[in-house]
Amino acid sequence: MERVRVISPCTSANLGVGFDVFGLCLKEPYDVVDVKKIDEKEIIIEVDDKNIPTEPNKNVAGIVAKKMMDDFNIEEGIKITIKKGIKAGSGLGSSAASSAGTAFAINELFNLNLDKLKLVDYASYGELASSGAKHADNVAPAIFGDFTMITNYNPLEVLHIPIDFKMDILIAVPNISINTKEAREILPKSVNLKDLVNNVGKACGMVYALYNRDKELFGKYMMEDKIIEPVRGKLIPNYFKVKEEIKDKVYGIAISGSGPSIIVFPKEEFIKEVEDVLRDYYQDVIKTEVGKGVEVI
């Protein structure tokens, strides 16, 4: 095999009360990551977004590739070509998609036979470069698909819940970017015990709701974050106003990752109405559904 091309989907992390733990894979938008062998022993990167660096030591895909190639003593060189479908800095796992797609493609290209958990670990090195933390709440759902939970980091543990029922999803993308590092720096360094208990309880309730296919309960608990969204919501234009305006027409609404994108689970009878409201405030609104993770084209 000389070349592998994959689709690597966007993801939504946190989902309200699940900060740094919950992740949801979305069907679209997605990146297309193409990795092929070359004669020269080097890593070459091409990206169709001029704002993304192509130096291997500054690009998340390059960092993931170098780590994997060093660990497995791969002597050949590779060229990574990335077609970005996910806007950088949008809170939809843009760096995670490139990282996960690269890890997945290299595993296929060189027959490394790594399992999905190990691929998540390698992909998270890209997140370390982009956000300053080796977090896996975006790369895990990108690789596993569906809904994931990061329950431990040393050693890495990922729990995967397949979603076998339809969930309509709208993503509103404000025309601003939020730096993940900065979005983490503004978070409180300590939290009230009562708020912590609230978030843990609601997070448990969301998992229960998924197993029972209860979209009403899932969305209700997702909207009751007492720790992260009260802080980060201030960075997103009209977030709290929109949340209040559509709360009776949706199962749930939350900030996607560190923002500014907003993930919305509209009730079936109000999909068009909710979409119209979102378009009144935000130019870009995406209709999508739950995705199944990275796949070879």
Side-chain angles (χ1 to χ4, degrees):
M1 187 183 298
E2 297 298 315
R3 180 179 188 176
V4 173
R5 180 181 293 175
V6 302
I7 285 175
S8 193
C10 74
T11 51
S12 183
N14 302 338
L15 298 173
V17 297
F19 177 70
D20 272 8
V21 176
F22 288 172
L24 185 70
C25 180
L26 305 176
K27 189 173 182 179
E28 52 191 13
Y30 53 80
D31 288 355
V32 176
V33 181
D34 184 292
V35 181
K36 69 176 181 178
K37 297 177 182 177
I38 57 176
D39 294 333
E40 300 81 9
K41 188 184 176 182
E42 61 180 324
I43 298 172
I44 298 173
I45 299 173
E46 289 185 357
V47 189
D48 64 353
D49 185 337
K50 64 181 180 180
N51 295 313
I52 296 176
T54 54
E55 298 95 326
N57 64 334
K58 295 181 180 179
N59 181 283
V60 296
I63 291 167
V64 171
K66 186 177 188 310
K67 174 64 176 172
M68 295 180 74
M69 295 174 78
D70 286 349
D71 283 359
F72 291 93
N73 299 311
I74 296 172
E75 296 298 322
E76 296 165 273
I78 58 171
K79 180 179 179 181
I80 304 171
T81 304
I82 304 174
K83 183 177 181 181
K84 293 297 295 181
I86 308 167
K87 180 183 175 183
S90 62
L92 291 172
S94 178
S95 61
S98 297
S99 299
T102 298
F104 194 97
I106 289 175
N107 184 53
E108 294 287 321
L109 187 62
F110 294 101
N111 297 309
L112 302 180
N113 298 313
L114 301 176
D115 61 24
K116 289 184 176 181
L117 184 63
K118 193 61 181 175
L119 291 180
V120 170
D121 185 47
Y122 275 115
S124 65
Y125 281 93
E127 294 291 74
L128 175 62
S130 68
S131 68
K134 193 171 176 279
H135 61 93
D137 51 350
N138 281 108
V139 293
I143 288 173
F144 278 89
D146 303 300
F147 182 88
T148 56
M149 296 176 283
I150 310 301
T151 54
N152 200 60
Y153 273 98
N154 190 22
L156 180 64
E157 294 177 358
V158 178
L159 300 181
H160 171 234
I161 300 179
I163 297 179
D164 59 358
F165 58 95
K166 184 171 172 47
M167 296 180 79
D168 297 294
I169 300 170
L170 295 171
I171 304 291
V173 187
N175 192 29
I176 62 170
S177 293
I178 292 179
N179 181 280
T180 303
K181 288 182 181 179
E182 294 175 1
R184 296 183 77 88
E185 287 171 358
I186 66 170
L187 297 179
K189 302 300 184 287
S190 60
V191 299
N192 181 283
L193 182 60
K194 183 179 179 181
D195 292 338
L196 174 64
V197 171
N198 170 82
N199 277 32
V200 171
K202 299 303 189 299
C204 293
M206 287 176 67
V207 175
Y208 171 88
L210 280 182
Y211 274 111
N212 287 278
R213 302 182 179 183
D214 190 336
K215 289 184 278 190
E216 191 86 45
L217 192 63
F218 180 83
K220 175 180 181 293
Y221 287 155
M222 184 175 74
M223 292 194 292
E224 297 184 14
D225 176 23
K226 302 295 185 185
I227 299 173
I228 306 300
E229 287 207 351
V231 178
R232 283 185 172 170
K234 298 174 184 177
L235 301 177
I236 302 171
N238 298 305
Y239 174 67
F240 296 114
K241 183 177 181 180
V242 170
K243 187 173 182 178
E244 180 66 24
E245 189 168 335
I246 64 175
K247 66 179 182 180
D248 295 329
K249 297 178 175 65
V250 302
Y251 294 117
I253 174 174
I255 298 171
S256 181
S258 58
S261 288
I262 302 165
I263 183 168
V264 182
F265 297 84
K267 294 180 179 178
E268 290 77 6
E269 66 270 30
F270 295 117
I271 294 176
K272 180 63 168 63
E273 192 173 334
V274 171
E275 183 180 357
D276 288 343
V277 172
L278 293 175
R279 291 190 186 279
D280 285 341
Y281 290 94
Y282 311 110
Q283 184 177 3
D284 192 8
V285 178
I286 302 164
K287 297 175 72 172
T288 188
E289 56 190 81
V290 177
K292 297 302 177 182
V294 182
E295 59 179 322
V296 175
I297 300 176

